[in-house]
Amino acid sequence: MRLCLLLLLALCGADPTAAARSHSLRGSWSIRNANGSLELPGEVPGCVHMALFQRNLIQDPYYRFNDLNYRWISLDNWTYSKEFQIPFDISKWQKVHLIFESIDTVSEVLLNNVLIGKTNNMFRRYTFDITHVVKALNSIEVRFQSPVSYAAQQSRAHTLYQVPPNCPPSVQEGECHVNFIRKGAF
Ligand SMILES: *[C@@H]1O[C@H](CO)[C@@H](O)[C@H](O)[C@H]1NC(C)=O
Ligand SMILES: *[C@@H]1O[C@H](CO)[C@@H](O)[C@H](O)[C@H]1NC(C)=O
């Protein structure tokens, strides 16, 4: 499992001929797991495995059976957070959008402690209107739920009929209920 996101803040001017301005939220973010036992810096775009690897908290996840040793990473919930300033005067702009070019996968997005949107599909771009929430100085939090626990939850909630298979053959060492989440199978 990988958590990847890229954010772009787009501002559209009151004058329709005015070019939209944008401010990228790429760069250093802060990452923490559900119970706060791990807190570390991480890059966006990027993912939790990469951040842990760069801090020597895990070894190469592609080496031998490390993917199985590091299964706990995909079973935990991870929050990305950051504080940022808008480098231009937002009062001059009619609309402000927060755009995720890519986000993997299940998350709640909070801006200045206000829930502004949710995501559950890795294969699309998300745009949230943040005109009434954005300030000159902001805090953003992206709370990812474990894709494994989300898929299991969705499967339990779906009682009308069976959607096989529940789990892959055990020899594959894969996760269950992949057909309940819109996410890359890696
Ligand atoms: C916190 O979460 C980590 C990773 O899931 C786990 O190994 C650890 O036991 C947890 N600590 C507490 C105090 O629950
Ligand atoms: C992750 O979040 C889900 C949904 O809120 C929750 O059911 C689960 O217990 C959480 N897992 C951890 C490790 O905190």
Side-chain angles (χ1 to χ4, degrees):
M1 185 210 53
R2 300 180 346 142
L3 302 177
C4 304
L5 62 143
L6 166 66
L7 297 114
L8 189 76
L9 193 73
L11 286 84
C12 307
D15 172 2
T17 59
R21 301 276 312 261
S22 71
H23 174 59
S24 171
L25 299 182
R26 278 168 182 257
S28 188
W29 286 56
S30 167
I31 307 178
R32 66 172 188 273
N33 67 341
N35 67 17
S37 64
L38 284 167
E39 199 156 357
L40 63 154
E43 287 295 303
V44 169
C47 65
V48 172
H49 287 76
M50 183 60 81
L52 293 168
F53 180 66
Q54 280 169 344
R55 294 258 134 183
N56 290 319
L57 293 167
I58 61 170
Q59 315 259 297
D60 182 351
Y62 292 115
Y63 182 68
R64 288 181 60 85
F65 298 107
N66 278 350
D67 58 328
L68 299 178
N69 296 335
Y70 301 146
R71 210 167 205 165
W72 61 270
I73 300 169
S74 56
L75 300 176
D76 210 333
N77 302 323
W78 295 87
T79 296
Y80 274 69
S81 58
K82 186 184 180 73
E83 297 206 335
F84 65 95
Q85 252 173 311
I86 310 269
F88 23 79
D89 180 6
I90 47 168
S91 64
K92 293 207 171 79
W93 300 83
Q94 208 172 43
K95 276 272 176 224
V96 184
H97 286 133
L98 177 65
I99 300 170
F100 289 75
E101 297 290 355
S102 157
I103 179 161
D104 173 12
T105 296
V106 184
S107 80
E108 291 182 343
V109 183
L110 290 91
L111 186 69
N112 300 325
N113 290 318
V114 178
L115 180 68
I116 54 155
K118 296 183 179 191
T119 71
N120 61 8
N121 184 345
M122 176 185 165
F123 303 112
R124 53 163 290 195
R125 171 174 141 140
Y126 285 90
T127 301
F128 301 118
D129 186 340
I130 56 167
T131 312
H132 301 296
V133 185
V134 73
K135 299 188 279 194
L137 180 64
N138 302 277
S139 70
I140 183 170
E141 232 181 60
V142 184
R143 297 180 183 164
F144 288 96
Q145 183 185 348
S146 156
V148 180
S149 87
Y150 172 84
Q153 240 174 31
Q154 294 298 107
S155 168
R156 274 196 305 276
H158 185 86
T159 51
L160 219 50
Y161 53 88
Q162 274 276 309
V163 185
N166 276 337
C167 296
S170 59
V171 66
Q172 290 178 5
E173 308 275 18
E175 302 295 351
C176 300
H177 311 297
V178 292
N179 44 12
F180 278 92
I181 185 169
R182 295 289 294 146
K183 175 172 171 42
F186 48 80

